[in-house]
Amino acid sequence: MIVLWLTFVLVITSGYSACLLSFLTVPHQKAPIKNFHQLSRAVQSGTHECHLLEGTNLASFLLRLEEDYLRELGKAIVKNEWYYTGEDLASGGHISDRVAEIMAQMDFDLFYGDPHFKANLVISDDYLAQFPVAIAVKKKILL
C-alpha cells in the first residue's frame, strides 16, 4: 500500500513540476494590437512600424484629424517614409509581427482574403472614417 502511495505521489509531483517548468520556459506572448490608439503607442515607443500604400492621401488625412494619437501616427509615417508599393502588397512580404498596415477593409478582404493567409493576421475592427457612397444613374424616360 505504501509503495502504491509513493508511486502516486511521485507521478503527481513529477507531472506538476514538468508543467510548471514548461510554463516558465515558454516566452510570454504579447497581446496583438487591436486599435489605432494601441498602434500609435507602439509606433511612438519604437516597437512597431505602420505602413501605408504609396500614393494614397491617408497620411495627410491622419495629420488633419483631431485625435492627437492619430496625428502622431501620421507624423511617424511621413517622417520615416513608411510606405509600401503595389508589388509589396501583392506578395504580402512587407507585413511582419512588428509592421502594421493601414488600408480599407474591402482591400484587406481582396488581398488577404485567403483563409490560410488571413489566419496569420490580426485585422482590427477599428476604423478611421466612414464615407457615404452614392450611385448616380441616368433615368430613361419612356414616351
Side-chain angles (χ1 to χ4, degrees):
M1 183 74 155
I2 293 178
V3 172
L4 183 63
W5 175 251
L6 289 175
T7 305
F8 175 75
V9 169
L10 178 66
V11 168
I12 295 297
T13 56
S14 297
Y16 177 78
S17 297
C19 183
L20 180 63
L21 184 61
S22 70
F23 177 74
L24 293 175
T25 57
V26 173
H28 295 286
Q29 294 181 353
K30 289 186 176 182
I33 294 173
K34 294 186 179 179
N35 58 44
F36 286 105
H37 199 278
Q38 292 174 349
L39 177 59
S40 180
R41 279 187 283 160
V43 166
Q44 289 175 21
S45 68
T47 61
H48 287 74
E49 297 177 8
C50 181
H51 293 214
L52 301 176
L53 182 62
E54 192 173 54
T56 62
N57 64 351
L58 196 49
S60 60
F61 179 74
L62 287 168
L63 293 171
R64 291 191 309 263
L65 292 173
E66 292 180 15
E67 294 84 358
D68 290 334
Y69 65 92
L70 291 173
R71 282 198 313 272
E72 290 300 319
L73 185 60
K75 288 177 188 176
I77 292 168
V78 171
K79 176 185 172 191
N80 295 300
E81 297 180 359
W82 286 334
Y83 300 101
Y84 58 89
T85 64
E87 291 175 3
D88 296 330
L89 184 61
S91 69
H94 61 289
I95 299 178
S96 73
D97 59 342
R98 298 289 176 226
V99 175
E101 176 180 327
I102 298 177
M103 71 167 51
Q105 181 71 40
M106 183 177 70
D107 295 338
F108 272 119
D109 292 338
L110 178 66
F111 289 105
Y112 305 125
D114 178 29
H116 299 292
F117 189 76
K118 202 172 187 177
N120 295 319
L121 298 176
V122 175
I123 299 177
S124 75
D125 293 328
D126 208 2
Y127 60 89
L128 285 175
Q130 293 180 343
F131 300 103
V133 177
I135 298 172
V137 179
K138 187 174 181 178
K139 293 182 184 179
K140 279 190 174 182
I141 300 176
L142 299 175
L143 298 174

